[in-house]
Amino acid sequence: MAGSSAENRNPTRADLWIVAALAAGSMIFSCLYYATGQWPFKAPLWAACLASAAVAVPLIYRRRFPSQVAWIQAAIYVAAQVLSALEPAVSQIALFMGLYSIGAWQADRRKAFISRLLLCISIFVYAVLSMSFQFQAVENMSVLQIAAAVGVNLLTNVAYFGGGWIFGNRAWRQRRLMADLRAANAEVREQEQQLTRQALDLERVRIARELHDGVAHHIAGVGIHAAAARRSLEKNPAKAKESLQVIESSTRETVDELRALVYTLRDTDSATDDTAATDNATAPGGQAADLPADNGTAASTKGNPSLGDLPELIESARRFDQTVEYATIGEPRPLTPITEMSIYRVIQESLTNCSRYAGAGAEVDVRLRYGRTDLEVEVSDSRPTGGAATSVSAGARPQAEGRTQSEGLGLGIVGMRERMSALGGSLEAGPKSRGGWLVRARIPYPRSTVCPDDTASSDDPAPETHNRPDNSAKAST
């Protein structure tokens, strides 16, 4: 058992304090008995104080050598009592601690039982002999008085040694229970790490599927158009030029998507460590706030998530008793699978953080703005009126955001920003001036979807919201 290992049996500071208290208390009682004459000391006071310390000191090693300590104490106690050099009060507490230590710390339970049984029998024999000698010396005691004295001594010893036996066994059972709980906790953590590694392996499989879905059709198209350009290069140069332009566009999109996927292929050990470091982080108020992430996990098992999965994600976030408004502004553009997946992950991560930190009753806005050259994603939350929700300060929220996990690879703001950077976009995150949190991401359209007459300026319906930290206008679905 873990609690029985040698390294856990070294003397502790508590043991030293117990020994010091017992020794000092026994010495004080010796001085008081000497002053009052209530106990027939035959040895000098210094010898009584020395015996008091000698009975208590062995308890320092009661964890490592419980049986030996108890027997040494008993021998010193009996010798000091025979010499009338030990007070009868605190010294019995020291004996109680010795017997208790056998039950609490003796790993061999059979040996613990035999040792305590023999020790109790020995003390009982000594008590009977001692009383018999005392009663022989006293001639004027009646039978009733003798019986009462025997009963007092017997009950006192039964109380002390019986209590030490029972409480020692109880302490042993508690220590064994704690050791079992520690072993179970270690096993759970090991299984959790194993599940994390399995989740990372599944994530790599998912990424491989995304690589196939997002890149394979580009490569197939490049092969077809390359063959067409080769055949029409001499007879129809215009057609060959058109095929080469398609090849150029497809290859650039392929490079962009490969770059995005490379950013998500993190080192397995590093990702495992990051996940394990955040296992103890719980949401304020005991709210797990992991339902959006679970929904994203389900989406990954049935295929790569896309913008078509956003309504389901929004609905799952509403089950946290939050008011979530979702709006699409502008004319939707066709996007590549990797772009839609990255946008989905940003919204998923942001909703997870809203559930975790804004609390129940918070108002959350999710907006997609289609501009001329880029798509803007904006997720903002605010505390409900009355302050019922639990929130974090502006200084603590970024750190907590950075620790939030989303389907094993989110890594909070860092992960979202890397996803956007991989596709040539940007991400901003921070507190709003009137409370709450704002995440705004901009991602350029794929080259194949950009209109030739598009300009660098954006025609968003609400451009003034890009530079302000708060969103007071509510968009309707």
Side-chain angles (χ1 to χ4, degrees):
M1 190 179 69
S4 302
S5 57
E7 59 270 16
N8 293 333
R9 292 171 172 267
N10 292 325
T12 64
R13 184 175 297 180
D15 293 332
L16 297 178
W17 281 110
I18 290 175
V19 169
L22 290 175
S26 182
M27 293 178 184
I28 292 174
F29 268 78
S30 297
C31 295
L32 293 177
Y33 276 123
Y34 255 96
T36 59
Q38 294 183 359
W39 187 255
F41 280 106
K42 296 181 180 179
L45 180 60
W46 65 267
C49 292
L50 181 62
S52 298
V55 171
V57 167
L59 289 174
I60 295 178
Y61 297 99
R62 66 188 183 92
R63 300 174 187 267
R64 176 166 290 186
F65 309 106
S67 294
Q68 294 88 328
V69 165
W71 279 97
I72 291 174
Q73 281 186 296
I76 296 175
Y77 177 85
V78 171
Q81 288 286 358
V82 171
L83 298 175
S84 298
L86 187 65
E87 51 83 26
V90 181
S91 59
Q92 293 194 25
I93 299 178
L95 282 181
F96 167 87
M97 288 296 300
L99 188 69
Y100 163 85
S101 299
I102 297 177
W105 292 98
Q106 186 67 54
D108 189 343
R109 302 313 294 170
R110 185 172 180 272
K111 181 178 179 181
F113 177 82
I114 296 176
S115 178
R116 286 179 293 179
L117 181 62
L118 294 178
L119 183 62
C120 290
I121 294 175
S122 301
I123 295 296
F124 178 76
V125 171
Y126 161 73
V128 171
L129 293 177
S130 177
M131 286 186 293
S132 64
F133 288 128
Q134 291 177 3
F135 295 151
Q136 289 178 2
V138 179
E139 299 178 353
N140 58 350
M141 290 184 66
S142 64
V143 176
L144 181 61
Q145 289 176 330
I146 294 176
V150 171
V152 169
N153 282 276
L154 180 62
L155 292 177
T156 300
N157 283 279
V158 169
Y160 270 96
F161 291 96
W165 193 306
I166 294 173
F167 286 116
N169 286 341
R170 183 178 179 181
W172 170 264
R173 287 193 295 268
Q174 289 179 343
R175 289 180 56 248
R176 185 172 60 181
L177 177 61
M178 290 299 298
D180 293 340
L181 291 177
R182 293 190 191 97
N185 182 60
E187 184 178 357
V188 168
R189 290 190 174 275
E190 182 179 357
Q191 292 179 353
E192 186 176 6
Q193 293 177 359
Q194 182 179 359
L195 291 175
T196 300
R197 291 190 294 267
Q198 292 176 356
L200 290 173
D201 293 338
L202 291 176
E203 183 69 10
R204 291 179 180 273
V205 173
R206 185 185 65 81
I207 291 174
R209 186 170 61 248
E210 291 174 358
L211 180 63
H212 177 272
D213 295 342
V215 178
H217 72 281
H218 288 299
I219 301 301
V222 167
I224 294 174
H225 285 282
R230 177 178 57 81
R231 293 172 182 175
S232 60
L233 184 59
E234 297 180 356
K235 297 180 180 180
N236 193 349
K239 186 67 175 179
K241 181 179 179 181
E242 181 181 350
S243 296
L244 291 175
Q245 289 176 346
V246 172
I247 292 174
E248 180 183 8
S249 176
S250 295
T251 53
R252 287 179 177 177
E253 290 181 8
T254 302
V255 170
D256 291 340
E257 295 186 9
L258 285 174
R259 183 184 297 112
L261 289 174
V262 167
Y263 270 91
T264 62
L265 287 171
R266 308 178 194 277
D267 181 73
T268 302
D269 295 335
S270 176
T272 304
D273 294 340
D274 291 337
T275 304
T278 62
D279 287 339
N280 295 330
T282 57
Q287 191 172 12
D290 59 352
L291 188 56
D294 292 341
N295 185 63
T297 304
S300 67
T301 58
K302 68 182 181 181
N304 296 331
S306 63
L307 296 185
D309 298 316
L310 286 180
E312 183 181 356
L313 180 64
I314 297 297
E315 186 62 29
S316 67
R318 286 172 179 161
R319 289 197 285 268
F320 284 103
D321 296 330
Q322 292 183 332
T323 302
V324 182
E325 297 291 341
Y326 171 55
T328 300
I329 303 173
E331 185 67 23
R333 297 282 193 91
L335 303 172
T336 60
I338 191 67
T339 302
E340 292 194 12
M341 183 197 66
S342 298
I343 295 172
Y344 180 93
R345 295 302 186 203
V346 169
I347 297 176
Q348 179 191 32
E349 184 73 28
S350 300
L351 289 177
T352 301
N353 294 334
C354 291
S355 301
R356 185 183 296 271
Y357 301 108
E363 298 179 354
V364 182
D365 285 334
V366 179
R367 299 183 182 182
L368 290 180
R369 293 189 179 92
Y370 289 90
R372 285 187 176 272
T373 60
D374 58 11
L375 171 63
E376 183 180 88
V377 181
E378 186 176 279
V379 181
S380 64
D381 64 68
S382 60
R383 292 184 59 181
T385 57
T390 304
S391 63
V392 294
S393 62
R397 177 73 175 263
Q399 298 176 0
E401 290 275 9
R403 293 193 301 266
T404 303
Q405 300 294 314
S406 193
E407 203 185 2
L409 291 178
L411 295 181
I413 294 177
V414 176
M416 292 190 292
R417 183 172 288 117
E418 287 186 357
R419 284 185 179 272
M420 293 298 99
S421 299
L423 297 174
S426 62
L427 183 134
E428 303 171 4
K432 300 192 295 185
S433 60
R434 285 179 286 178
W437 196 261
L438 174 65
V439 175
R440 180 185 289 118
R442 292 186 180 90
I443 183 171
Y445 297 125
R447 292 183 177 90
S448 59
T449 63
V450 177
C451 299
D453 56 347
D454 284 344
T455 59
S457 62
S458 175
D459 61 351
D460 293 348
E464 65 277 4
T465 61
H466 291 180
N467 296 323
R468 61 182 183 178
D470 193 5
N471 270 324
S472 58
K474 181 75 67 177
S476 60
T477 56

